[in-house]
Amino acid sequence: MDLTEQRVTWAELFLDLVWVFAVTQIAGVLATAAGPVDILRALLLLAPLWWGWVGVTLLGNLTGSRLDGARGRLTLFALAGCGLGMAIAAPHGFTRWGGLALVGFYTLLRLLLWLAAAPIVGWRHLDPFSVTLLVTCPLYLVGALLDGPWRLGVWFLAAFVGPFVLRPKVKGRRFEASHLPERFGLFVIIALGESVVAIGGQATGKLSDWATIPLALVLIVGLWWTYFHYGAPAVRHALETDPVQARIVRQVFSLAHFGYVFAIILIAVGLKKTVGHPLDAPHKAAELLLAPGVALYLAGFCYARWRMFGAALWPRLGGALAAVALAFAAPVLPQLVTAGLATAVLLAVNGVEAWIVETGRTLPVVALRRG
């Protein structure tokens, strides 16, 4: 039995540089958001970028060491080119030609993924690569030809129909249990890096920066700790032990991590606005994204643990509810106060969990039927 763990390759890390740019592009779209519709648009623009990256990661997990050969590397570079085209088109995705460019590069990426995976999974089998190419891409094309609410509706269907359509197609597939946690953890790092760039790029050297930036950094560390100290080991354990690995890949890695990434981007934009005007009350939608981002981030862990183990942790559920309450109060608070309270929520969640674990107490959970 081969006990060698599959590690992330240098070519995969190079490809990730394109998605670093993509995350920055989506953060730029959110920074100009004027209301909920603009936030929904940013979510839908992130979706094909995210699902494209997930497809590349699943291809890497499927092909194993073959991905690190000359042919595999050239495939990754071609996929990186498609990702770059998508990232460039993303901010213009709700214009006619920008939408068609985004969909065109996404369709080409899915086609390349299918061609690379078909010799391994079989040309006649329905799998994530063929079904996405045949179902999701046509929906995106139809949406790109429509305007207004119709495009929003069709693209929402395209973005989230995949995991449900693919459910019976990947049920029995086995996945290498060290590669996927590392890849998805690296994408969380990419998103957290956008938060660091946001606060650093907004700094002007004023006295207020020295009060705001350390607080923002503590908040970012809190996000890191929430994911990597307890969250990531739990996900790897679930992938290793669940008899239906595809369920963990679909519900926890693909869906829950999509929520983590979008939440971190919301937080990054909120922190950028906070560093720029720490003592001002928010007046625009983009200035109100910090608390909802923290709420979504913590709620994502509740969803993931429910899907893995049938129960959510009370500290994280309580933290998510506290962040929701903070989101309702944020419009009348200085942005620095909102950032401080959001940081306190994260520190409290992590502190309570650490105290429970270190003292050997049983984790308090709210049991839910997993289904």
Side-chain angles (χ1 to χ4, degrees):
M1 181 177 178
D2 185 9
L3 298 179
T4 303
E5 291 187 347
Q6 180 180 343
R7 302 306 303 271
V8 176
T9 68
W10 294 115
E12 286 177 290
L13 294 176
F14 175 82
L15 175 139
D16 285 349
L17 293 176
V18 171
W19 268 263
V20 171
F21 173 59
V23 169
T24 300
Q25 291 283 80
I26 300 301
V29 172
L30 277 168
T32 61
V37 172
D38 289 337
I39 296 172
L40 175 60
R41 286 184 172 187
L43 175 71
L44 295 179
L45 292 173
L46 175 64
L49 288 161
W50 171 253
W51 292 119
W53 182 89
V54 170
V56 175
T57 297
L58 292 180
L59 175 67
N61 193 268
L62 178 67
T63 56
S65 59
R66 284 170 289 184
L67 189 69
D68 208 26
R71 184 173 180 177
R73 290 173 175 175
L74 290 173
T75 299
L76 285 177
F77 295 152
L79 293 169
C82 295
L84 182 59
M86 292 170 63
I88 293 172
H92 314 287
F94 280 89
T95 65
R96 175 56 57 88
W97 294 110
L100 288 172
L102 176 64
V103 172
F105 281 114
Y106 182 63
T107 302
L108 179 58
L109 182 145
R110 301 306 314 195
L111 176 61
L112 291 175
L113 284 174
W114 175 70
L115 291 174
I120 301 170
V121 301
W123 293 93
R124 296 184 180 181
H125 290 84
L126 290 176
D127 56 76
F129 304 101
S130 60
V131 172
T132 302
L133 180 64
L134 297 174
V135 176
T136 305
C137 290
L139 281 174
Y140 270 116
L141 178 59
V142 170
L145 297 174
L146 300 173
D147 294 315
W150 288 105
R151 183 180 298 192
L152 288 174
V154 174
W155 277 11
F156 188 88
L157 183 64
F160 298 106
V161 71
F164 301 99
V165 171
L166 301 181
R167 181 175 182 177
K169 313 304 178 187
V170 297
K171 183 176 181 180
R173 188 170 299 282
R174 302 298 296 175
F175 297 88
E176 206 284 323
S178 59
H179 177 258
L180 287 182
E182 187 175 4
R183 291 296 291 136
F184 282 86
L186 284 169
F187 205 102
V188 172
I189 290 291
I190 288 173
L192 290 173
E194 176 60 30
S195 300
V196 174
V197 170
I199 63 173
Q202 193 66 25
T204 60
K206 297 185 296 185
L207 183 62
S208 61
D209 291 346
W210 301 107
T212 309
I213 291 178
L215 176 64
L217 182 60
V218 172
L219 190 152
I220 295 169
V221 171
L223 297 173
W224 182 97
W225 196 276
T226 303
Y227 181 88
F228 287 99
H229 194 62
Y230 293 124
V235 174
R236 176 162 179 169
H237 173 74
L239 184 63
E240 291 174 339
T241 59
D242 198 293
V244 184
Q245 283 186 314
R247 185 177 62 81
I248 302 300
V249 172
R250 183 181 64 254
Q251 297 175 354
V252 179
F253 281 109
S254 298
L255 288 177
H257 280 71
F258 182 36
Y260 299 153
V261 169
F262 190 65
I264 294 172
I265 298 174
L266 293 176
I267 294 167
V269 174
L271 287 176
K272 180 178 181 180
K273 301 297 183 180
T274 299
V275 173
H277 303 281
L279 301 180
D280 294 346
H283 300 289
K284 300 178 180 179
E287 298 170 348
L288 291 165
L289 297 180
L290 179 55
V294 173
L296 176 61
Y297 189 67
L298 292 174
F301 288 100
C302 297
Y303 167 79
R305 190 174 181 88
W306 167 49
R307 301 315 298 163
M308 292 187 294
F309 308 121
L313 290 179
W314 269 115
R316 299 195 178 201
L317 180 58
L321 294 174
V324 170
L326 178 59
F328 281 102
V332 298
L333 298 175
Q335 294 185 75
L336 183 60
V337 173
T338 299
L341 292 174
T343 303
V345 169
L346 286 170
L347 292 179
V349 169
N350 288 302
V352 168
E353 288 186 352
W355 173 74
I356 292 171
V357 172
E358 294 300 324
T359 57
R361 287 172 166 81
T362 301
L363 285 170
V365 300
V366 50
L368 300 166
R369 184 178 178 181
R370 187 165 67 177

